[in-house]
Amino acid sequence: ERPDFMFYVNGIPLILFEYKTEDSGIINSIADFEFKETYTSAPFKVALNDGKDVIFFTDLSLLKHTTLDPTTNKKDSSFRWVNYLGFKDPNTNLPFSNIESFLYEFICQPENFYNYCLNACSLITKPSKFLVSARIQQYYALKDIQKTLVNISKGNIPIPSNYAFLHAQRSGKTITMKLLTYLLQKQFSHIFNQIFIYVPDLQIKKVIQDELSMSGNSNVFVHTIQNRSKFQEVIDNLYQ
C-alpha cells in the first residue's frame, strides 16, 4: 500500500499524493484513501485525476458535501484546488495546471505551506478528533489578511483603518472567521486586544459560537447586526 508520491519534511510524512489516470477518475483516487489503511499516516492528502482534478483535504468526512463529478451542475466543489490566481509558467507564459499551481504554492514555497499549517488548520475534538484544513478560497483570504496585518505591525500601514477582504461565496466564511480569530490572537495580540464579530442574524451567531467553542476558543465577542448602516456605525464608534 505504498502511495504514488509523498512529501516529507524532516522525515515526517506530511502530504500524500494518490494519482489516477483520467480514465480511472477522481472518485477512484478518493476511494484509495478510504480503503488503504497506511494512507492515514499523512495528515494532508491530495487526490489527482491526471493532474486536472485536484482534491486537497485532511479527512474523508470533509468530502461528504464536495461535488466530485465535474459533469454535474452543483456549485459546491469545496476542496478542489484550482489555479485560483492564474499562476503562469515563467518559461512558457502558459497558465499552470491545477496540480502545477498546488506544487508551486506549497512545495516550491514551503513557507506558504508552513503558514497554511499554522493559520489555516484547526483541530476539532467533538464528536471525534480530526484536523480540518481550509479550502483554497479560505487560504487565500487568510493569506491576504496576514500580509496586511504584518504590514500594520511593522508600521507600514497606519491604524486605525478599515479593510475589506474578498471571500468567495459558499466557501465557509464561518470557518474563515474562526481561523482569523486564531491568527489575530496567536500573532497579532500586540495590535488587537479585543475581537468582535458582527453577524446578520441569530442563526449565524449560534453557528459561529459553536464553531469557536468546539475548538476551545470562546474569548471572542459575537453580536448580531441588522443592516449595513448599523455595521458602519459600529465601526465608526470603535475608533472614537
Side-chain angles (χ1 to χ4, degrees):
E1 296 183 337
R2 292 180 298 177
D4 293 325
F5 304 96
M6 180 77 81
F7 177 62
Y8 292 85
V9 174
N10 291 336
I12 301 173
L14 286 183
I15 309 177
L16 187 151
F17 296 82
E18 175 61 30
Y19 178 91
K20 296 293 184 186
T21 64
E22 187 173 0
D23 291 337
S24 297
I26 192 67
I27 295 178
N28 286 330
S29 182
I30 292 289
D32 279 0
F33 290 96
E34 182 175 1
F35 297 112
K36 294 184 178 181
E37 293 183 4
T38 56
Y39 277 29
T40 61
S41 60
F44 299 96
K45 290 95 172 168
V46 177
L48 298 172
N49 175 18
D50 205 24
K52 297 179 180 179
D53 294 305
V54 181
I55 308 295
F56 178 49
F57 65 102
T58 55
D59 193 273
L60 282 170
S61 63
L62 299 174
L63 300 183
K64 61 182 179 180
H65 298 303
T66 299
T67 303
L68 298 177
D69 184 356
T71 63
T72 65
N73 293 322
K74 295 181 180 179
K75 295 181 180 180
D76 184 10
S77 55
S78 303
F79 291 92
R80 286 185 182 277
W81 185 279
V82 296
N83 191 359
Y84 195 65
L85 299 182
F87 293 131
K88 292 184 178 180
D89 186 324
N91 297 317
T92 64
N93 203 35
L94 296 174
F96 280 150
S97 66
N98 293 333
I99 186 56
E100 289 172 335
S101 170
F102 177 86
L103 296 175
Y104 174 76
E105 182 69 19
F106 283 154
I107 308 302
C108 297
Q109 303 176 88
E111 67 276 13
N112 288 341
F113 185 63
Y114 170 78
N115 284 322
Y116 181 88
C117 295
L118 189 66
N119 302 319
C121 298
S122 61
L123 185 65
I124 298 299
T125 58
K126 299 177 182 179
S128 60
K129 183 181 291 188
F130 65 94
L131 186 68
V132 176
S133 58
R135 305 164 187 174
I136 181 174
Q137 301 94 331
Q138 296 166 331
Y139 162 68
Y140 279 115
L142 288 167
K143 185 179 179 182
D144 192 17
I145 291 169
Q146 184 187 30
K147 180 180 178 180
T148 299
L149 293 174
V150 167
N151 281 322
I152 291 174
S153 66
K154 291 181 177 180
N156 297 332
I157 299 177
I159 53 174
S161 298
N162 296 332
Y163 300 97
F165 300 95
L166 297 178
H167 198 293
Q169 292 291 329
R170 294 183 57 81
S171 57
K173 289 182 286 296
T174 297
I175 296 178
T176 303
M177 285 187 279
K178 178 181 69 172
L179 294 171
L180 176 57
T181 62
Y182 298 157
L183 178 64
L184 292 172
Q185 291 179 327
K186 286 186 296 186
Q187 299 183 34
F188 302 98
S189 58
H190 60 291
I191 301 177
F192 305 99
N193 54 21
Q194 290 182 309
I195 301 173
F196 296 87
I197 299 177
Y198 288 90
V199 296
D201 57 55
L202 292 174
Q203 182 177 359
I204 296 178
K205 177 180 178 180
K206 183 179 185 308
V207 170
I208 291 178
Q209 287 178 325
D210 289 346
E211 283 284 349
L212 293 172
S213 177
M214 278 196 301
S215 297
N217 187 341
S218 57
N219 189 28
V220 179
F221 303 95
V222 184
H223 302 280
T224 55
I225 200 164
Q226 287 74 38
N227 50 56
R228 288 184 179 272
S229 61
K230 183 64 177 176
F231 172 76
Q232 189 59 53
E233 179 184 331
V234 170
I235 294 297
D236 293 340
N237 289 338
L238 286 177
Y239 299 132
Q240 290 182 356

